[in-house]
Amino acid sequence: MEVLEVKGLKKHIGNRQIIKNIDFSIKEGEIFGFLGPNGAGKTTTIRMLVGLIAPSSGNIKIAGHDIGAERERALSNVGAVVENPELYTYLSGRENLMQIARVRNIPKEDIEQIIEMVNLKERIDDKVKKYSLGMKQRLGLALALLAKPRLLILDEPTNGLDPSGILDFREIVKNVARKNGTAVFISSHMLSEVQQLCDTVAFINDGVIKSVESIEDGTIKNDTEIYTLITKDSSNTAEILKGCNAVTEVQQQENEFTIAIKHDSSHLVLKLLIENGIDVKEIFKKHQELEERYMELVEGGRRL
């Protein structure tokens, strides 16, 4: 089931169009990354998702409720950590959680489950002013999760965290998505984190979503796959590759070729080369890193 549906979303500020007709959706249990340079439209999109500003046109539905027509019902399904979480530093972690729990009538057992989930059990009764940045981020996440939201929105959640803090945060978010079926929207500039954490990534630039793509085992799933090929006969190899329908791009450096092949078609290319008497010394797939895809879509050039 789609927890978040965004269709035809636009936002004008004065005469400037910030968001230009974007569409995307997030399913239950899906971790969705939102990538783009500064000024691409990430923050404006988040502000619309959490109801801080209204779209100029288009629709945002959260758990089936339109944020324009059913604002309160829609936003009741959202938990968010945007920038630094607002915490009462003179209170303990538990007291911070209790402030929200009392207002929302959240039972004590639910609070204990959340404390366990974010790995704060040993320090939950300490004053927040004694917390590290990573612990404050985890407490902010706990506050966002108290009401068991269907959609969790995180804006640069690992900013300033050390490697250990990043690892902890990553595992917590994965557990939230897997165990609770929570849809997670993460806006981040840390490409490596998105690659290791997310199931899907949207690339946004200049208010336009350039592509929405799947990530599997830390690798972008794409229509084409990049291979390195080494042969003994470079001139004939180049001619055959350029005439092959399964090959979309060829780069050559002496007897080494970097080629883009249509998905699941590498066996056809290899068969064609062998049938034409080409001595293939080596062929292997290059797993496309998120950074490479980012450069291709946002910076405007593929780096084979």
Side-chain angles (χ1 to χ4, degrees):
M1 176 185 174
E2 291 180 341
V3 176
L4 174 65
E5 298 173 80
V6 174
K7 292 184 180 179
L9 197 65
K10 297 180 183 179
K11 182 62 182 178
H12 301 267
I13 297 178
N15 294 324
R16 187 179 169 207
Q17 189 173 9
I18 307 296
I19 301 298
K20 305 171 183 177
N21 198 38
I22 66 173
D23 301 275
F24 64 90
S25 62
I26 309 177
K27 301 187 294 292
E28 286 182 349
E30 180 180 6
I31 304 176
F32 184 96
F34 203 53
L35 282 178
N38 290 336
K42 300 192 302 295
T43 300
T44 301
T45 302
I46 289 173
R47 293 180 72 196
M48 288 188 281
L49 294 181
V50 298
L52 292 177
I53 58 175
S56 300
S57 61
N59 302 100
I60 299 171
K61 284 186 178 181
I62 301 170
H65 303 291
D66 190 290
I67 201 170
E70 304 174 273
R71 176 187 170 84
E72 190 171 334
R73 291 192 69 182
L75 293 179
S76 69
N77 292 284
V78 178
V81 181
V82 179
E83 297 178 350
N84 295 323
E86 293 185 9
L87 305 168
Y88 298 107
T89 58
Y90 59 90
L91 297 177
S92 69
R94 186 184 303 278
E95 288 167 336
N96 270 269
L97 292 170
M98 289 301 299
Q99 294 288 326
I100 304 298
R102 289 190 195 100
V103 173
R104 299 192 177 183
N105 295 315
I106 294 168
K108 185 177 179 181
E109 54 267 28
D110 287 1
I111 298 172
E112 294 304 318
Q113 286 177 6
I114 295 295
I115 291 169
E116 190 84 38
M117 183 177 291
V118 300
N119 298 329
L120 275 178
K121 192 172 181 179
E122 293 182 4
R123 299 289 303 276
I124 196 63
D125 292 308
D126 292 354
K127 293 286 191 288
V128 172
K129 63 185 176 184
K130 297 180 180 178
Y131 281 13
S132 67
L133 178 59
M135 291 168 65
K136 288 177 181 175
Q137 286 290 80
R138 281 186 273 153
L139 181 58
L141 182 58
L143 289 165
L145 293 171
L146 266 181
K148 297 183 178 178
R150 302 280 303 281
L151 173 65
L152 178 64
I153 296 174
L154 304 173
D155 185 17
E156 302 289 358
T158 56
N159 257 3
L161 298 187
D162 60 22
S164 177
I166 290 172
L167 287 171
D168 287 345
F169 202 89
R170 185 196 305 161
E171 287 308 307
I172 292 165
V173 171
K174 285 182 177 179
N175 284 336
V176 167
R178 281 196 302 260
K179 294 179 180 178
N180 297 3
T182 306
V184 183
F185 175 100
I186 298 179
S187 173
S188 178
H189 69 282
M190 295 183 68
L191 301 183
S192 60
E193 270 311 294
V194 170
Q195 183 160 337
Q196 294 181 67
L197 180 58
C198 295
D199 306 303
T200 310
V201 60
F203 299 88
I204 184 170
N205 194 22
D206 193 27
V208 177
I209 289 183
K210 302 294 185 180
S211 183
V212 178
E213 301 186 7
S214 297
I215 298 175
E216 190 174 278
D217 297 326
T219 302
I220 288 284
K221 291 180 68 178
N222 202 353
D223 291 336
T224 58
E225 300 168 332
I226 310 302
Y227 280 80
T228 295
L229 171 71
I230 301 173
T231 71
K232 287 186 176 179
D233 188 346
S234 60
S235 57
N236 285 341
T237 300
E239 185 178 343
I240 293 165
L241 290 173
K242 289 173 182 177
C244 178
N245 290 332
V247 176
T248 61
E249 197 169 346
V250 179
Q251 290 184 11
Q252 179 181 359
Q253 187 171 6
E254 297 182 350
N255 287 353
E256 183 174 317
F257 297 83
T258 303
I259 55 178
I261 302 175
K262 291 178 182 177
H263 188 65
D264 284 339
S265 298
S266 59
H267 64 290
L268 299 176
V269 177
L270 187 58
K271 181 182 177 184
L272 182 64
L273 290 169
I274 293 170
E275 286 176 347
N276 281 273
I278 300 298
D279 188 353
V280 177
K281 295 177 66 178
E282 195 171 350
I283 183 169
F284 57 89
K285 183 178 179 180
K286 289 178 64 180
H287 293 283
Q288 189 172 24
E289 299 293 326
L290 190 64
E291 182 178 353
E292 294 174 306
R293 190 62 174 146
Y294 179 90
M295 293 300 298
E296 180 183 345
L297 290 166
V298 175
E299 301 296 335
R302 181 198 290 268
R303 295 183 177 181
L304 287 182

